[in-house]
């Protein structure tokens, strides 16, 4: 018996008592055959879920929805993908495990849980956005500030073609490794786990030689020879990402060093990849192809009118210093952090005699860069396509100027008026921003 049937039973027992309001607002919004996933509770999630039911057929909802559990008696692919096995984290970190358990359908599925890249997208939200802006398999989506590749991973799972442009070579490496994990031969994984101590020593020793990693256009892991890691560039890069994750993790842990932590991290990486590949085969998913370009969003190396949608999240002014954040990994890979900072949106500028002058100068640079990037997005989009910008309501680092208002102003001047605005509350005591905006623009 379902909960709804139990509630109906209550009505029968009520005899001739006056009626009391009983429906929930989701009963009004969603037809009876649509059942939401258990953790869908925030307003923006309900908004996106409703948008999905308005935009997709029932067949497509089963395959593509980010927020539904069931359509009639059919369980959605999203549920299957997330439900295979919950993310396993270091058993010492209870709070982290709690976070992943509480967000089982939102963040830790597929390869999204690999490497804690700061400021990355909420994957489930990106899937919902792709659905409501009408992107269908075969269409191409661009993320001009792709970070660790969340947009591209979601696009791949939905069968969309995708292009990611990202300035940081380390983030590009990460995105490529996570994307490759979506379609990987996992037959050697047990062997890799058995030799995790040797792998750790190997990467620890070869720090200087991986400096050549980015000289090759596809970011292959050059200069490395450990017999068991040969044969698959993608597998080697996945293991290297686990190593680089461990290096950063060890700096935050007091009780264990990197060598002791590596087997746990590697096990988690391989389990996540294996689980996704099993479910991909079970569901018969046909992944879209993706291209990660190490480049500058202010000057996209793409022709006019070549993408059917754009989704991105720029740095929130200078809330996060991505170069300082990833310094350890950048240096390991032989990349000069200072050279990278010179083109990082949000870090450019900052000249002047007083602190006030320096902040003013940096904010001016930030807005000039964002205006250029939005212009570039508009240039490469087809007519009628949507450009989605996810941005925080941070105004204390901008002298009171609201970021979302500036983005709307820039997009409008580039021929993309605001089509819809969704507010998303940000949870967590460590966040200084209380909400962020999903701004959906449409190119005229
Ligand atoms: C908020 S993060 C994006 C995170 C991404 N949505 C994800 O899910 O991982 C912003 C990204 O913009 C990148 N970035 C900064 N300046 C850039 C530029 N000029 N061109 C391209 N990317 C840039 C940063 O390296 C950072 O990864």
């Amino acid at each position: 018996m379902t909960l709804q049937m139990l509630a109906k039973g209550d009505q029968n027992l009520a005899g001739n008592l006056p009626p009391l309001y009983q429906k929930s607002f989701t009963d009004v919004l969603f037809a009876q055959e649509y059942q939401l996933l258990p953790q869908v509770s925030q307003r923006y999630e309900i908004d996106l879920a409703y948008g999905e039911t308005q935009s997709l057929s029932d067949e497509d909802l089963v395959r593509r929805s980010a927020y539904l559990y069931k359509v009639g008696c059919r369980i959605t692919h999203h549920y299957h993908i997330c439900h295979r096995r919950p993310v396993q984290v270091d058993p010492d970190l209870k709070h982290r495990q709690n976070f992943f358990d509480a967000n089982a359908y939102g963040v830790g599925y597929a390869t999204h849980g690999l490497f804690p890249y700061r400021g990355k997208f909420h994957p489930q939200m990106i899937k919902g956005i792709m659905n409501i802006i009408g992107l269908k398999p075969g269409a191409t989506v661009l993320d001009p500030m792709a970070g660790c590749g969340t947009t591209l991973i979601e696009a791949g799972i939905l069968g969309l073609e995708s292009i990611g442009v990202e300035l940081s070579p380390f983030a590009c490496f990460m995105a490529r490794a996570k994307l490759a994990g979506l379609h990987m031969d996992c037959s050697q994984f047990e062997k890799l786990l058995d030799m995790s101590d040797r792998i750790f020593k190997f990467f620890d020793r070869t720090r200087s030689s991986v400096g050549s990693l980015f000289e090759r256009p596809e970011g292959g892991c050059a200069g490395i020879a450990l017999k068991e890691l040969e044969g698959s560039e993608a597998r080697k890069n996945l293991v290297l990402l686990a190593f680089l994750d461990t290096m950063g993790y060890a700096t935050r842990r007091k009780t264990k060093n990197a060598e002791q932590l590596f087997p746990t991290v590697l096990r988690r990486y391989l389990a996540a990849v294996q689980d996704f590949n099993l479910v991909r085969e079970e569901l018969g998913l046909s992944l879209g192809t993706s291209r990660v370009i190490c480049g500058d969003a202010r000057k996209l190396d793409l022709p006019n009118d070549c993408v059917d949608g754009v989704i991105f999240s720029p740095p929130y002014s200078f809330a996060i210093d991505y170069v300082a954040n990833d310094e350890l990994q950048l240096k390991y890979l032989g990349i000069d952090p200072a050279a990278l900072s010179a083109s990082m949106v949000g870090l450019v500028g900052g000249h002047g005699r007083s602190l006030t002058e320096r902040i003013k100068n940096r904010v001016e640079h930030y807005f000039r860069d964002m205006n250029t990037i939005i212009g570039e997005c508009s240039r490469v989009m087809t007519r009628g396509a949507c450009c989605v910008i996810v941005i925080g309501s941070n105004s204390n680092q901008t002298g009171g100027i609201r970021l979302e208002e500036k983005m709307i102003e820039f997009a409008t001047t580039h021929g993309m008026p605001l089509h819809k605005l969704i507010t998303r509350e940000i949870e967590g005591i460590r966040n200084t921003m209380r909400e962020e905006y999903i701004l959906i623009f449409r190119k005229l």
Side-chain angles (χ1 to χ4, degrees):
M1 199 184 265
T2 65
L3 289 175
Q4 279 94 341
M5 284 158 84
L6 286 168
K8 292 247 161 63
D10 186 43
Q11 259 173 5
N12 297 336
L13 290 176
N16 52 8
L17 288 176
L20 276 182
Y21 178 70
Q22 196 173 25
K23 275 187 172 173
S24 87
F25 75 99
T26 48
D27 295 334
V28 180
L29 277 181
F30 298 96
Q32 221 179 356
E33 64 265 32
Y34 300 142
Q35 227 176 297
L36 292 173
L37 283 166
Q39 291 151 359
V40 178
S41 58
Q42 288 198 41
R43 230 171 2 151
Y44 85 93
E45 294 175 311
I46 309 276
D47 199 343
L48 290 174
Y50 180 68
E52 287 187 332
T53 63
Q54 298 303 296
S55 316
L56 301 178
S57 66
D58 281 4
E59 183 59 38
D60 279 347
L61 281 170
V62 172
R63 293 173 179 282
R64 306 165 52 93
S65 169
Y67 293 103
L68 294 189
Y69 162 47
K70 273 185 174 178
V71 178
C73 56
R74 297 177 69 191
I75 294 178
T76 59
H77 283 191
H78 191 76
Y79 180 86
H80 283 296
I81 290 169
C82 300
H83 206 64
R84 189 156 181 93
R85 192 204 300 169
V87 179
Q88 308 285 307
V89 300
D90 185 341
D92 294 349
L93 298 183
K94 287 248 164 14
H95 66 282
R96 213 164 150 67
Q97 186 67 62
N98 290 345
F99 170 79
F100 278 117
D101 290 346
N103 291 282
Y105 305 101
V107 292
Y109 59 92
T111 51
H112 290 300
L114 312 186
F115 205 94
Y117 193 58
R118 281 197 64 195
K120 72 178 167 194
F121 271 145
H122 192 273
Q124 185 184 26
M125 175 182 89
I126 296 305
K127 186 182 273 184
I129 290 174
M130 285 177 181
N131 285 330
I132 70 160
I133 65 171
L135 291 172
K136 298 268 155 45
T140 303
V141 62
L142 164 74
D143 185 337
M145 305 183 104
C148 65
T150 314
T151 305
L152 281 67
I153 293 170
E154 280 308 311
I157 295 173
L158 287 181
L160 303 172
E161 308 302 302
S162 62
I163 304 170
V165 175
E166 165 61 51
L167 193 72
S168 160
F170 170 59
C172 290
F173 168 71
M174 194 171 7
R176 287 181 186 125
K178 289 166 98 171
L179 283 160
L182 298 177
H183 201 300
M184 190 172 271
D185 170 9
C186 307
S187 57
Q188 300 296 313
F189 280 11
E190 275 303 318
K191 212 177 194 180
L192 292 178
L193 280 175
D194 287 345
M195 53 181 278
S196 59
D197 53 338
R198 276 178 58 213
I199 297 178
F200 180 85
K201 287 195 176 77
F202 173 75
F203 280 124
D204 205 29
R205 266 200 327 266
T206 43
R207 283 168 192 253
S208 49
S209 64
V210 281
S212 54
L213 188 61
F214 301 107
E215 280 158 23
R216 297 210 253 150
E218 287 314 311
C221 190
I224 288 180
L226 179 69
K227 202 169 68 42
E228 292 86 343
L229 279 182
E230 292 307 318
S232 163
E233 202 73 5
R235 197 168 57 220
K236 200 189 296 180
N237 288 342
L238 182 73
V239 176
L240 176 56
L241 186 63
F243 173 82
L244 292 172
D245 192 347
T246 310
M247 301 298 287
Y249 184 24
T251 62
R252 304 188 292 276
R253 283 296 301 269
K254 300 274 178 284
T255 51
K256 287 184 185 165
N257 64 25
E259 193 164 2
Q260 291 162 326
L261 291 168
F262 182 64
T264 313
V265 176
L266 183 64
R267 181 174 298 281
R268 181 166 69 80
Y269 270 55
L270 300 183
V273 168
Q274 189 163 31
D275 284 347
F276 181 78
N277 278 275
L278 282 172
V279 78
R280 175 180 56 70
E281 278 170 22
E282 275 166 20
L283 296 174
L285 296 182
S286 166
L287 302 180
T289 57
S290 51
R291 185 151 59 105
V292 179
I293 301 170
C294 212
D296 194 330
R298 297 171 299 181
K299 209 170 178 307
L300 294 174
D301 190 11
L302 295 170
N304 295 351
D305 310 319
C306 68
V307 299
D308 308 293
V310 171
I311 302 178
F312 76 109
S313 166
Y316 295 169
S317 178
F318 27 93
I320 300 177
D321 183 337
Y322 285 94
V323 177
N325 242 0
D326 301 332
E327 192 172 350
L328 196 146
Q329 285 81 9
L330 287 165
K331 282 190 173 157
Y332 181 91
L333 299 171
I335 296 150
D336 175 13
L340 196 57
S341 292
S343 307
M344 272 274 163
V345 171
L347 300 184
V348 186
H351 311 296
R353 281 199 212 125
S354 66
L355 181 66
T356 326
E357 228 175 278
R358 286 197 289 277
I359 291 179
K360 189 168 167 279
N361 181 270
R362 211 175 237 204
V363 170
E364 276 169 12
H365 264 92
Y366 176 74
F367 285 133
R368 206 175 308 144
D369 284 344
M370 284 311 303
N371 189 19
T372 308
I373 291 170
I374 292 172
E376 278 291 85
C377 290
S378 176
R379 177 180 69 76
V380 299
M381 281 162 61
T382 54
R383 210 170 151 240
C386 289
C387 172
V388 182
I389 303 180
V390 180
I391 194 147
S393 58
N394 184 359
S395 61
N396 41 13
Q397 289 171 313
T398 58
I401 305 170
R402 295 194 62 91
L403 295 184
E404 76 283 9
E405 287 176 6
K406 275 299 213 190
M407 300 307 129
I408 295 171
E409 179 190 317
F410 297 148
T412 309
T413 46
H414 292 293
M416 302 192 295
L418 187 67
H419 171 71
K420 182 174 168 71
L421 182 153
I422 302 175
T423 306
R424 172 177 182 238
E425 293 84 24
I426 301 178
E427 294 166 333
I429 43 170
R430 285 169 67 196
N431 272 313
T432 50
M433 266 175 290
R434 300 274 45 108
E435 53 192 16
E436 63 183 8
Y437 300 101
I438 303 168
L439 307 170
I440 305 179
F441 303 99
R442 192 150 197 216
K443 182 169 167 180
L444 295 176

